[in-house]
Each structure stands twice: as structure tokens, then as C-alpha cells.
Amino acid sequence: MHVPSYSEALEAAIDRSYDINLDMLRSRNLQLDTYNDYLVGTYPPLKAMGDLNAEQLLAQVASSIDLYFHIPFCNQYCTFCHFGKEINPSSERVERYLAALYKEMSWSDAALDGRAIETAFFGGGTPSFLTNHQLKTLFDMTNKRFDLSKSEVSFELHPSLVKHVDAADRVSTLLRGGVNRFVLGVQTLDRNILRILNRGHGVEEVIQLVKLLNEMGVENLSLDLMYGLPEQTLRSWYDSLIGLLDMGIEKFNIFPLMFKSTDPVARQLASGRYQFAGAKERIIMHFMAEHILTRLGYRHGPIFYWTKRSQPHSVQQRRKYDSWNDNNLVPFGVGGFGYMSQCQFYNEADLDRYLSRVEAGEKPVWKGAVLSQDDLIRRTIMFALRSSGVLLSRFEQEFGVSMEKYFGREIKTLMEAGLVSISNDGVLSLTAAGIINSGAVSLLFFSDNVLERVAYNDSRITDKRTDLLEKHDYSPAGRYGSSAEMQAVFR
């Protein structure tokens, strides 16, 4: 199959970019500046949450659940990463954490008994930071508590894993532990950008790890790739994607760089230390990837997810976006967020507080919210639009009200701006322009009550560069406003 050349991909992307009327969208508050844009990770977002009694999480657990295990350790501090982590902790610290993780698992034993575990995801941080012995401990613990034999079990890898002489042994341990899907964070194949990002690996490690995984029979591998990175050009973006395609990669998570004031990359943007792509250039990068992948037989999963295979990109992503509140995400570990019994919540994000609370026999819930019917409806819309869309008849059957009636003003606004469309089958979906502006689309569905709580808690933050609420709030609400305000915050 013909691989589009750089000039072909660029020309096609520029043509598509003319369909995105940035001036019109900005005038209607439907386009977020690069430093304000963010995807909705939870609804309500962290800044709208308060105290929550952990026992509420066990009141109405769904019949099928998903598990998340957070491993908060890394060899280096990547400049764009805001997830909870410690750099190069002692082995004693890691083992104490694993013991706490196991103890936390026991808290929900009775409530989770008999539930079908559809997926389990080991993320971080860098889960592959763990030694082979520690990985064995982790999976011995997990498989003692849960039956993962019929589950999709995903594990995040860092390319630097191949620097260890026992890399193959560690992969074998993961396979024996039940891992059947790997996610590899690559971000770029540009050596200079990898250095700026402080990734701790080069291009050679990516090539070697993909080769090792292929040799060991790994068939389900997805790679993360980012655009809008510092010093990234349209050419280097093209070269990174083509380089990974040449390796035979069949699944991708391709997404734009998103900024948080707690990350060094945000201060680099504010200070002008490096050149960053503007809104128009980011759009062109998005359409370049879409043109190349579509031509080569790839298709969208949820937005930003691509697969060449007939099955979904991952069961985990399908359930996250298309299950409509009838699945529960159960998190274990520091900073993990979840959804149980119609409650959205976060675990403690400070590692020492997490350890002390778990060791004292508590479920380490930090913040949470019990969702009202209105919250459930809004959460459903935001997530479903990111994937297969909202079937209007299903919405009415699920919630007892017509979506056109409940969100008539919002739908009219988005359709007039060209961000959503309704198919002949009655499915409300994002258009190409809507995918690029999905953060702004989601923000339109936030309730006034949630926005007020976000604004109140945001106003109480004294230092956005260090605050845990700011660091762990995955939402476009309560961001930085104007460029001058952004620069003041980030500097």
C-alpha cells in the first residue's frame, strides 16, 4: 500500500485545515487556546470535588468492573508529565508501596466478589521501572486478589527497559502474570526533542524494544505519539510517524501536547525558551496523521486512537467511553482516579499520605463527588462523543428525556459551528472540527453548578506550580484565561 510522501501528506492536511474556521470558533468561545485546552478525564473534575465517605463507593458496584493500578516511580522527570511519581526511589520505598497496594486491594474484597473484571491497566509513572523481582511480587499479589484470566490486561512500558540486561526476563514475567496488551510511550523519534523532553531514551531503544516484543510473541502493542512538542516541525512530525509505521506498528494513541502549570514544559512555553506549534500548525499535524493512517488502512477508535486491526483499539478504551455509566473503574495506588457506585473520586495524590492512610487500614480517598442524574447525563455525553457518539434513541431510553430537549441550546450551538452532526441513524457525533476542539465541546456541557465549584476551588490555589489540585485536575475548566495570565501563572 502506498505510503503518502511528506509533500502529499502536508498538502492534504493544509487543505483540510481550511475547513477549521478558528476566528469564528474563537468568537463563539468554542476554541481553546493551546495552553487552555485539555481533555476531560473525570466529570465532575477534581476542582469540583469535595470530601467523600469511602463506604459510598461500595454501595452499588456494577456487575462488571475495570481495574487500574498506579506505579508512581520513574528514572527521570519527563518535562510534560504531571502524573504522580517519585524519581529513583530506594528499593525499600518501592517494596513499602507494593505492600500498601496489596493492602488497599483487600478493602473492596467483599464488594467486588463475583464481579466480572473486563480490563486491568498498570500505569504510572513507569510500571516497567520495577525490577523483575518486584514485577513478580506485583503480579503474585494481583492474581491472588483478582481473576484476570479472561481480562484484557494492559501494561505501560518505557523504551529504556531494553537498557537492562534482564529486559527479556521482565517481559516474560509480565506475560506469565497475564499481560496481553502493552502500551509503549514513544512520543517522538526526533532525538533532539527526546533530549528536550528528558525522556531518558533514544530512538535505538524504541527500535530494540519493539523488536524484542515481536520476538517474544507480543501481538497487542499500542504506541503513544505526541504532536505540538517543543522544537517539533511538520517534517519531524511526519518522520516520527513514518518511522513507527516502518516498524510495523498497528495501533497508535496520537494526541496533542497538553499543558499544565505544574510541568516544566508549560514554563518553557510561557518563557519562549523553545518554539512550539501554534493552533493552525497543530491542526495541520493532526490532519497529516489522519491522512497517512487512513490511506494505509487504519481507522479511528475513540478520538486520538487508531488501529489497523478489525478488533477495537482496546477493550479498556471502548468501555471507558461507550459504556454509559454501567461500568465501574476501581483504582489502586496513589493518585488513581475512579468511578464507582455513581461516584467520581480520587485517591490521595501525595505518596506519604497515601502510604500512611493505607497502612492505617483506610481506603485512601482524597476527593470525590456523588453524581446527580444531571451529572450522569453530562458525563455520558462528554465521554460518548469522544468515541462512537451518542445514539439519541438510547439516550432517551436511558434517561427518560429527549437529548434534543435536554441539550437543545448546546446542540444548536455546536451544529451551527460545525462541531457536531447527527447521522441518518440518529447518532450525534463530533465532526473533524469537533475532534480537534473536543475540549471546548466538552466544556459546553459542564453544568453551571460544577463550573462555580471549579471557579471557587481554583481561586483558593495560591501556587499553581506546586498545588496538587492543579496538578491532578484533568479538565479544561478553571484554566489560565489570557496569554498574559498564562505567562504570569507559568513563570
Side-chain angles (χ1 to χ4, degrees):
M1 193 173 293
H2 169 67
V3 177
S5 67
Y6 170 68
S7 58
E8 178 188 342
L10 179 60
E11 182 178 359
I14 291 174
D15 285 346
R16 292 289 305 281
S17 73
Y18 290 132
D19 296 334
I20 313 297
N21 189 334
L22 291 176
D23 290 336
M24 178 273 291
L25 293 173
R26 285 168 181 154
S27 71
R28 302 183 187 187
N29 294 318
L30 292 173
Q31 198 271 334
L32 301 174
D33 290 321
T34 297
Y35 46 83
N36 285 323
D37 200 6
Y38 209 91
L39 295 177
V40 173
T42 69
Y43 188 81
L46 178 59
K47 288 182 184 176
M49 295 181 187
D51 295 334
L52 180 72
N53 181 351
E55 295 303 315
Q56 289 182 263
L57 303 178
L58 305 180
Q60 194 178 343
V61 180
S63 59
S64 65
I65 60 176
D66 302 285
L67 306 178
Y68 175 74
F69 302 89
H70 190 74
I71 308 299
F73 307 121
C74 296
N75 289 114
Q76 73 290 317
Y77 197 122
C78 300
T79 61
F80 60 84
C81 178
H82 40 260
F83 297 112
K85 57 193 168 293
E86 281 193 2
I87 307 302
N88 293 319
S90 66
S91 58
E92 292 78 15
R93 178 79 159 172
V94 175
E95 286 158 14
R96 181 185 174 192
Y97 180 78
L98 292 177
L101 200 63
Y102 185 59
K103 188 168 185 178
E104 187 192 356
M105 292 180 209
S106 67
W107 174 81
S108 52
D109 270 354
L112 300 186
D113 185 46
R115 265 61 180 184
I117 299 173
E118 300 293 338
T119 71
F121 193 100
F122 293 82
T126 305
S128 56
F129 172 90
L130 300 181
T131 65
N132 195 33
H133 173 74
Q134 291 163 348
L135 288 172
K136 290 177 180 177
T137 299
L138 174 63
F139 280 91
D140 285 347
M141 295 187 321
T142 305
N143 287 306
K144 196 174 294 182
R145 291 287 186 196
F146 303 107
D147 179 8
L148 302 180
S149 60
K150 298 179 181 178
S151 310
E152 177 189 83
V153 182
S154 304
F155 195 93
E156 289 186 338
L157 297 173
H158 190 276
S160 63
L161 173 64
V162 294
K163 294 180 180 180
H164 299 277
V165 295
D166 65 344
D169 292 336
R170 297 194 202 189
V171 174
S172 292
T173 295
L174 296 174
L175 293 170
R176 287 196 301 271
V179 175
N180 48 37
R181 174 176 176 256
F182 290 91
V183 180
L184 178 58
V186 175
Q187 320 316 345
T188 179
L189 292 183
D190 185 302
R191 290 173 170 80
N192 181 51
I193 299 174
L194 288 172
R195 178 189 57 79
I196 293 172
L197 297 177
N198 196 38
R199 282 291 292 161
H201 72 83
V203 175
E204 294 74 18
E205 284 78 18
V206 175
I207 296 170
Q208 291 169 17
L209 185 51
V210 170
K211 181 181 179 182
L212 175 63
L213 294 172
N214 287 334
E215 290 173 348
M216 299 188 71
V218 171
E219 296 182 351
N220 196 346
L221 172 65
S222 176
L223 265 61
D224 291 348
L225 196 60
M226 296 174 69
Y227 59 87
L229 295 170
E231 300 297 321
Q232 190 175 48
T233 64
L234 295 170
R235 180 75 212 203
S236 68
W237 169 240
Y238 172 87
D239 288 343
S240 288
L241 180 55
I242 296 301
L244 294 175
L245 289 168
D246 286 344
M247 295 181 204
I249 304 303
E250 295 191 342
K251 293 185 178 182
F252 290 97
N253 178 14
I254 296 178
F255 54 99
L257 172 63
M258 290 174 277
F259 295 92
K260 294 185 75 66
S261 53
T262 49
D263 304 335
V265 73
R267 295 189 287 279
Q268 293 169 355
L269 172 69
S271 66
R273 181 177 178 184
Y274 297 112
Q275 183 71 36
F276 287 85
K280 188 73 171 180
E281 197 172 8
R282 284 161 66 105
I283 290 171
I284 292 172
M285 289 178 175
H286 169 88
F287 281 133
M288 285 178 73
E290 182 174 288
H291 178 78
I292 293 166
L293 292 172
T294 301
R295 282 293 184 89
L296 296 179
Y298 289 75
R299 58 184 176 80
H300 263 127
I303 64 170
F304 305 139
Y305 292 86
W306 290 88
T307 180
K308 199 173 185 179
R309 302 191 175 192
S310 58
Q311 71 266 35
H313 180 278
S314 72
V315 177
Q316 178 232 358
Q317 294 299 327
R318 177 177 56 78
R319 285 176 57 79
K320 179 178 180 179
Y321 295 115
D322 290 329
S323 61
W324 288 41
N325 304 307
D326 54 4
N327 70 314
N328 281 184
L329 174 61
V330 186
F332 299 105
V334 62
F337 62 83
Y339 175 78
M340 297 174 67
S341 302
Q342 298 185 355
C343 298
Q344 190 83 66
F345 69 100
Y346 276 76
N347 274 356
E348 289 283 1
D350 178 85
L351 185 51
D352 287 317
R353 280 184 56 81
Y354 168 83
L355 291 171
S356 63
R357 288 192 63 186
V358 173
E359 289 167 351
E362 301 177 40
K363 169 64 177 174
V365 173
W366 175 31
K367 300 285 184 182
V370 181
L371 275 67
S372 66
Q373 179 76 349
D374 180 66
D375 290 329
L376 291 170
I377 290 173
R378 294 173 185 275
R379 181 180 187 272
T380 295
I381 300 305
M382 293 176 207
F383 280 17
L385 279 176
R386 297 249 292 275
S387 187
S388 57
V390 183
L391 181 61
L392 300 183
S393 59
R394 180 184 176 188
F395 181 94
E396 186 165 357
Q397 182 179 8
E398 185 98 4
F399 299 112
V401 62
S402 160
M403 183 171 173
E404 293 100 320
K405 182 176 181 180
Y406 203 92
F407 289 117
R409 177 181 60 83
E410 291 85 354
I411 293 175
K412 182 173 185 286
T413 297
L414 294 171
M415 291 192 72
E416 288 179 347
L419 299 182
V420 299
S421 63
I422 299 178
S423 70
N424 293 334
D425 296 330
V427 177
L428 179 74
S429 303
L430 294 175
T431 62
I435 289 173
I436 289 171
N437 294 282
S438 59
V441 173
S442 293
L443 194 54
L444 194 65
F445 289 100
F446 276 50
S447 72
D448 290 341
N449 177 268
V450 165
L451 289 173
E452 287 168 5
R453 281 185 279 154
V454 168
Y456 173 74
N457 286 317
D458 186 69
S459 70
R460 301 178 69 192
I461 297 174
T462 56
D463 186 351
K464 288 194 175 233
R465 292 171 297 181
T466 60
D467 187 83
L468 285 178
L469 275 181
E470 177 66 30
K471 186 180 184 70
H472 294 278
D473 184 271
Y474 310 123
S475 161
R479 302 284 285 181
Y480 314 111
S482 70
S483 176
E485 290 170 333
M486 180 275 293
Q487 290 179 10
V489 166
F490 285 42
R491 286 176 177 169

